Amino acid sequence: MEIRLEDLKETEEFGIKLGKLLKSGDILCLNGDLGAGKTTITKSIGIGLGVEEYITSPTFALINQYRGRIPVYHFDVYRLEHVEELYDLGFDEYFYGDGVCIIEWADRIEKMLPEDRIVIDIKKGNSNSERTLYIHGFGKRYEEVIKELK
Ligand SMILES: Nc1ncnc2c1ncn2[C@@H]1O[C@H](COP(=O)(O)OP(=O)(O)OP(=O)(O)O)[C@@H](O)[C@H]1O
Ligand SMILES: [Mg+2]
């Protein structure tokens, strides 16, 4: 599915809507260039998930945890040098745990990701504020989410 967002406000609305649909165990992968809007949309997804804290980029921490209506694990694997470092983080407890995982730069750790997941590629448009989201759902659960997003 392809969705065009004209500006920040539309990104925020979309993020909140998606956040409301997410459930325990969901894996959401975000890809796109530096400054594409991965962290920005995560903030809104967090609002949709009931996170009241301010979500910041986990670039240095690799992972930040938040309490929404369910736990939210926000990854940014940009600085990961080897996918094996994920073992030190205990990543599988998050991926196969009781919360929602949102992973920036997920394409860098593709082979470590659960097969079932939602993948969103964010591309900048012609204007500074325009974005296009390319959304793919792998697995039954995510096909449902995508249907509800339409
Ligand atoms: N429609 C939009 N959607 C998302 N971000 C937008 C939009 N319009 C403008 N922006 C701006 O683009 C920037 C996106 O930065 P952001 O940190 O979210 O990107 P990122 O993909 O997380 O980058 P990085 O790879 O460095 O983590 C922000 O400054 C945001 O305000
Ligand atoms: Mg970011």
Side-chain angles (χ1 to χ4, degrees):
M1 180 172 62
E2 201 177 308
I3 292 181
R4 208 172 94 179
L5 304 168
E6 292 298 334
D7 53 30
L8 205 52
K9 188 169 161 279
E10 286 192 12
T11 294
E12 286 168 358
E13 286 166 358
F14 176 83
I16 291 170
K17 185 172 170 188
L18 174 57
K20 285 182 178 164
L21 293 173
L22 293 177
K23 290 185 185 160
S24 195
D26 283 347
I27 307 284
L28 173 64
C29 300
L30 299 175
N31 297 313
D33 294 339
L34 289 168
K38 301 179 290 297
T39 302
T40 301
I41 199 167
T42 300
K43 291 176 199 281
S44 301
I45 294 167
I47 293 169
L49 279 161
V51 175
E52 287 177 4
E53 264 175 281
Y54 189 73
I55 293 180
T56 54
S57 176
T59 303
F60 294 96
L62 290 177
I63 171 165
N64 287 339
Q65 284 182 228
Y66 301 92
R67 288 240 142 240
R69 61 180 156 77
I70 45 178
V72 178
Y73 307 117
H74 181 200
F75 291 76
D76 183 333
V77 298
Y78 184 71
R79 279 170 190 276
L80 208 66
E81 285 181 32
H82 304 285
V83 287
E84 286 70 28
E85 287 169 52
L86 284 173
Y87 290 110
D88 304 332
L89 280 179
F91 75 99
D92 42 359
E93 297 209 8
Y94 300 108
F95 286 3
Y96 303 97
D98 54 354
V100 168
C101 291
I102 303 174
I103 309 154
E104 296 192 35
W105 293 100
D107 51 2
R108 299 197 163 196
I109 57 161
E110 195 154 12
K111 65 174 181 182
M112 310 294 273
L113 296 169
E115 221 172 284
D116 284 10
R117 59 193 192 271
I118 308 178
V119 180
I120 302 184
D121 290 296
I122 308 177
K123 291 234 156 51
K124 284 190 186 179
N126 294 324
S127 80
N128 255 343
S129 66
E130 190 187 309
R131 299 290 188 274
T132 304
L133 306 184
Y134 300 89
I135 308 176
H136 293 275
F138 298 94
K140 269 245 143 51
R141 155 83 185 124
Y142 301 119
E143 286 164 17
E144 252 170 60
V145 173
I146 286 179
K147 235 183 258 166
E148 290 185 62
L149 279 175
K150 282 184 179 159

